[in-house]
Amino acid sequence: MGARDYPAALEALSTLITKRTRGDGSNRGDAFDLMPRYVQVAGLEEPLSKMSVIHVAGTKGKGSTCTFSESILGECGYKTGLFTSPHLIDVRERFKINRQNVSEHVFLKHFWWCWDQFKMNVGTDLPMPTYFRFLTLLAFRIFIDEKVDVAILEVGLGGRFDATNVVRTPTVCGIASLGFDHMEILGHTLAAIAGEKAGIFKAGTPAFTVGQEKEAMDVLQMKASELDIRLQVVSPLNEKLLNGSKLSMEGDHQLSNAALAVALCRCWAERQKDEKHVTMFDEAISMGHLPEPYIKGLVNARFLGRAQHVQDPEVQGLSFFLDGAHSPESMEACGKWFCSAMRKLYQMKGIQPEVSAMGKNEPVIHASCDSSALVQNMEQSSKRVLLFNCMPQRDPSLLLPPLINLCDINGLPFHHAMFVPGLSSYVKVNVDLPVASKAKTVENDTDLSWQYSVQRVWDSFTPATTEVEIQKKATEWYELHSCVIPSLPAALDLLRQYCREHSSLKLQVLVTGSLHLVGDVLRLLKR
């Protein structure tokens, strides 16, 4: 037996990543009907049936809902376990105990135990579980051994056939906002997608959801009725309940995620027969606010790569706004958050935004006569850049318009758009970041055809700028409205170089379209 250190575990885990197209059903180890057998092999049947679980599905917001729930219950004094996906920097992000990534020691102890158990028991009729299924089983093993009071599980994909759905008796279930994503697997209508998500409902288990489109809500209600359970719909959190505090995660959509988390936590405590907790909650609500532990939990929750603002550690004036939005609905939420963040920059300069006639949720920065010079100065000293990549399975013609339209409506169009390939490998867990000496080799070996396709989609929605570029005969990347950069490190170098050469200029870079891209940027900045 070779080394059993952390790098060796990541190499072993990488062998479980399949190279097939998602949803083609060709790998038997990815079959849901094998999950109970894997649970049996890992000796998890009885302890898993006793584990108290909050199970959350959804298209967008399920990870935030789980993170809010973990933070609330942690502030209430419970020992929490949280399983989410994907990870952005380190695979241990997927497994949290008391709001902290599990240590390498804990990870390795349970990883190699599970690895050995499966290797000894697999065969023709029971292949090794695939990557996500193995990680799910590992999470169960860790949470059971660590004796958590509650395990909060985020569905990986869909619901009905997701690995986490092997849990037969969750304490409470939640469905976050639904929309169009993973359609090649879940279906091409909201009704079909809702049906897959509702697969986590169980007879005897209370269920909650947020407001949904009628097509989706009808299916959720029907599935709940078939199981004779009541599906409770929660409204977005009234900010007055926070007693003057603010959610840790920005964006109006987080009010719905926070409200769902509050409902799940209160229901969980009631089903645990924790009368002290329920009394505390009800007394606080009667006074017009949430209990203090709930407020602290919502204020202190942290979720990497979602509505996250990071200042470049090397160059002043370069800041990154990171959000892993990758569906049309989440891109719209990302656009609202980014515009809100940009408005705050203007407010800091003494400019008050006005609300557009198009609606209260889409405020537009409007310069009065007194402030027009200041606005012009801000525009001259500040540039907005989009750094974008998405997987070929997604349609950029659906992803980009919500973002473009929101920024245009708010008077905050992008000055530049950069389209880059990602660094993350889909066949390895740990990705070695290219050093400067290898950068040219990496760039020369990269197929950029997809990035050029995405760029063409972008240009089709912003045609006016291309005419200006032709007239100017632009040659440098910053003179172009859009460009393809052969590698992410090269894009970062160009942004930094530009800021160094234009010390009076500030760049605000929105990184979105892919959680993998967001993770790659965070790792580069951390390095």
Side-chain angles (χ1 to χ4, degrees):
M1 180 68 64
R4 291 203 150 197
D5 55 11
Y6 194 58
L10 297 184
E11 285 297 323
L13 188 56
S14 295
T15 66
L16 302 182
I17 300 176
T18 58
K19 298 180 182 180
R20 64 191 177 86
T21 302
R22 292 181 308 171
D24 70 5
S26 63
N27 191 294
R28 178 66 176 145
D30 207 23
F32 180 74
D33 61 2
L34 292 182
M35 278 302 293
R37 295 179 63 187
Y38 289 132
V39 168
Q40 187 177 33
V41 167
L44 298 173
E45 277 184 302
E46 182 180 357
L48 187 59
S49 68
K50 296 178 180 178
M51 189 166 69
S52 185
V53 170
I54 295 176
H55 199 190
V56 183
T59 304
K60 61 181 189 294
K62 61 183 185 293
S64 298
T65 298
C66 288
T67 301
F68 278 134
S69 299
E70 172 207 34
S71 189
I72 289 170
L73 294 178
E75 291 290 348
C76 289
Y78 301 105
K79 185 172 184 179
T80 58
L82 174 66
F83 178 59
T84 58
S85 61
H87 65 274
L88 299 186
I89 300 174
D90 190 312
V91 71
R92 292 180 295 115
E93 295 165 26
R94 295 172 182 250
F95 317 91
K96 286 184 170 60
I97 301 292
N98 286 338
R99 293 176 278 183
Q100 298 295 321
N101 297 350
V102 297
S103 67
E104 284 193 14
H105 171 74
V106 169
F107 178 87
L108 289 173
K109 178 176 74 170
H110 296 296
F111 176 88
W112 289 116
W113 188 92
C114 288
W115 184 265
D116 291 341
Q117 284 296 109
F118 290 124
K119 281 293 184 182
M120 286 188 298
N121 289 279
V122 296
T124 305
D125 64 330
L126 187 70
M128 280 292 286
T130 50
Y131 177 69
F132 183 75
R133 301 204 182 289
F134 183 93
L135 292 177
T136 302
L137 294 158
L138 177 58
F140 295 157
R141 174 79 186 178
I142 291 172
F143 295 159
I144 289 167
D145 188 73
E146 292 291 322
K147 297 180 173 58
V148 300
D149 295 317
V150 55
I152 302 160
L153 307 180
E154 178 194 6
V155 167
L157 193 157
R160 185 162 59 115
F161 295 122
D162 187 72
T164 60
N165 206 31
V166 75
V167 174
R168 305 313 304 166
T169 55
T171 306
V172 60
C173 293
I175 305 287
S177 183
L178 299 181
F180 293 99
D181 197 16
H182 303 298
M183 292 180 289
E184 75 279 11
I185 300 173
L186 305 180
H188 294 270
T189 66
L190 274 180
I193 292 169
E196 292 297 318
K197 306 289 184 179
I200 70 168
F201 291 168
K202 306 292 187 303
T205 298
F208 294 82
T209 190
V210 297
Q212 309 282 2
E213 294 287 340
K214 185 178 185 303
E215 182 183 359
M217 186 65 80
D218 287 347
V219 173
L220 296 180
Q221 295 283 12
M222 180 187 70
K223 295 291 184 182
S225 178
E226 290 173 356
L227 294 167
D228 196 25
I229 59 175
R230 180 189 171 201
L231 176 63
Q232 300 180 61
V233 182
V234 299
S235 301
L237 189 72
N238 185 333
E239 291 183 279
K240 292 181 180 178
L241 293 174
L242 295 173
N243 218 12
S245 297
K246 295 290 184 182
L247 294 179
S248 61
M249 294 184 236
E250 297 184 40
D252 292 342
H253 60 292
Q254 294 294 359
L255 294 172
S256 291
N257 299 331
L260 182 56
V262 167
L264 293 171
C265 291
R266 199 274 185 198
C267 180
W268 178 84
E270 183 176 28
R271 299 206 73 205
Q272 294 298 110
K273 295 181 170 49
D274 188 336
E275 294 181 6
K276 182 179 178 180
H277 182 127
V278 173
T279 299
M280 169 193 71
F281 184 95
D282 293 347
E283 287 181 350
I285 290 296
S286 69
M287 295 168 60
H289 58 80
L290 290 169
E292 192 60 29
Y294 275 64
I295 295 174
K296 285 184 177 179
L298 294 171
V299 168
N300 296 327
R302 294 291 180 269
F303 198 20
L304 206 62
R306 279 74 168 182
Q308 183 178 3
H309 179 205
V310 178
Q311 197 69 34
D312 187 275
E314 293 188 13
V315 180
Q316 287 187 348
L318 178 58
S319 53
F320 293 88
F321 296 79
L322 304 114
D323 191 84
H326 51 270
S327 70
E329 295 83 5
S330 58
M331 287 294 288
E332 181 176 358
C334 172
K336 290 180 178 178
W337 162 68
F338 182 67
C339 289
S340 175
M342 293 302 99
R343 289 198 304 273
K344 289 177 182 178
L345 292 180
Y346 280 86
Q347 289 172 334
M348 288 171 61
K349 295 291 184 179
I351 302 172
Q352 295 300 320
E354 293 185 1
V355 177
S356 163
M358 299 186 69
K360 63 181 181 179
N361 293 324
E362 295 173 341
V364 175
I365 292 184
H366 175 77
S368 66
C369 294
D370 294 335
S371 63
S372 59
L374 187 53
V375 172
Q376 185 177 11
N377 181 60
M378 278 289 292
E379 283 294 286
Q380 289 174 348
S381 63
S382 179
K383 299 292 182 184
R384 292 173 296 279
V385 178
L386 175 66
L387 186 60
F388 187 89
N389 184 34
C390 66
M391 295 178 67
Q393 291 93 337
R394 307 195 189 281
D395 186 349
S397 67
L398 297 178
L399 295 181
L400 291 172
L403 181 62
I404 293 170
N405 293 339
L406 269 165
C407 291
D408 286 348
I409 287 170
N410 281 273
L412 295 164
F414 289 97
H415 297 90
H416 312 287
M418 286 181 161
F419 300 97
V420 296
L423 288 174
S424 291
S425 166
Y426 299 100
V427 295
K428 285 190 71 177
V429 178
N430 54 326
V431 182
D432 298 324
L433 298 179
V435 297
S437 61
K438 296 181 180 179
K440 292 297 181 184
T441 302
V442 172
E443 292 173 16
N444 292 337
D445 291 344
T446 302
D447 178 6
L448 299 173
S449 56
W450 172 245
Q451 282 67 43
Y452 282 111
S453 296
V454 178
Q455 182 193 24
R456 285 192 292 272
V457 172
W458 169 270
D459 288 342
S460 72
F461 288 111
T462 55
T465 56
T466 57
E467 296 177 7
V468 175
E469 290 164 12
I470 291 172
Q471 293 173 4
K472 286 184 176 181
K473 297 183 179 179
T475 56
E476 298 290 344
W477 72 268
Y478 51 81
E479 295 175 332
L480 299 167
H481 188 61
S482 70
C483 61
V484 171
I485 306 297
S487 75
L488 182 55
L492 184 58
D493 288 344
L494 287 171
L495 292 167
R496 284 173 169 168
Q497 179 183 353
Y498 186 68
C499 282
R500 290 187 180 107
E501 293 175 354
H502 302 79
S503 57
S504 63
L505 187 69
K506 297 185 183 301
L507 289 185
Q508 293 94 34
V509 183
L510 175 62
V511 183
T512 191
S514 162
L515 275 167
H516 296 289
L517 176 66
V518 167
D520 291 340
V521 170
L522 285 171
R523 287 188 297 119
L524 284 170
L525 294 177
K526 185 178 180 181
R527 185 179 68 172

